[in-house]
Amino acid sequence: PAEEPEPSGPPSTREAVKQRIEELFQLCKEGEYDEAAGYIVYRGEDDLEKWKTVYDYSTEEGQKATHGLCNRVNAYLSAADSYSFEEFETEEEGEGLWLVWEVIFLKGVERQVVYFAFLEVEGVFALGDID
């Protein structure tokens, strides 16, 4: 039988956000904080930049935000044996269109449900919130 051709073109939004989450997980695990900052929506004091750009790791604010978020991500990863992507949803809010993946972290029979919410800023999907 003939092999299925590889899909051409860019990945779907759903797949692109999933890929960004996987990349962010890897960057946090490896301590690549300077690169991870580019995956996180700016939520600082500057109202002109808030929700519209990503963190700048060269600033103290960017370093604090990135380390805090990566510590959270690493806590989920280290407490689990595995994780899986469950549901993908979109939701329009004041900041823009939120792209939300429900991720289940598994440890034996324990399940921890975490929502990773992304926004598109500066042409990239960046993490805006973890619930």
Side-chain angles (χ1 to χ4, degrees):
E3 282 188 37
E4 287 289 310
E6 286 293 312
S8 60
S12 66
T13 298
R14 164 193 176 100
E15 287 304 310
V17 173
K18 183 178 181 179
Q19 183 178 337
R20 291 288 285 180
I21 293 172
E22 299 264 18
E23 291 168 4
L24 180 62
F25 285 3
Q26 197 61 40
L27 292 171
C28 289
K29 279 196 294 197
E30 293 173 358
E32 298 287 339
Y33 301 121
D34 55 337
E35 204 172 325
Y39 285 67
I40 306 166
V41 173
Y42 176 81
R43 295 173 56 173
E45 297 298 314
D46 185 341
D47 286 337
L48 293 176
E49 298 291 318
K50 197 174 198 171
W51 304 112
K52 294 176 182 71
T53 186
V54 295
Y55 275 103
D56 176 358
Y57 192 74
S58 70
T59 67
E60 185 179 338
E61 182 181 44
Q63 290 175 22
K64 278 178 72 173
T66 303
H67 285 256
L69 188 127
C70 280
N71 288 342
R72 241 176 117 184
V73 165
N74 284 333
Y76 291 128
L77 292 170
S78 63
D81 296 324
S82 64
Y83 62 88
S84 63
F85 291 87
E86 295 298 314
E87 291 187 36
F88 179 77
E89 298 173 0
T90 61
E91 190 175 321
E92 188 69 46
E93 301 233 351
E95 302 86 13
L97 181 65
W98 286 93
L99 309 161
V100 184
W101 264 108
E102 176 187 71
V103 180
I104 309 293
F105 291 88
L106 301 166
K107 175 95 173 166
V109 295
E110 298 287 315
R111 291 168 44 97
Q112 184 174 20
V113 180
V114 182
Y115 296 91
F116 289 86
F118 280 67
L119 290 167
E120 187 170 354
V121 296
E122 298 182 320
V124 297
F125 297 116
L127 183 63
D129 199 15
I130 301 175
D131 285 325

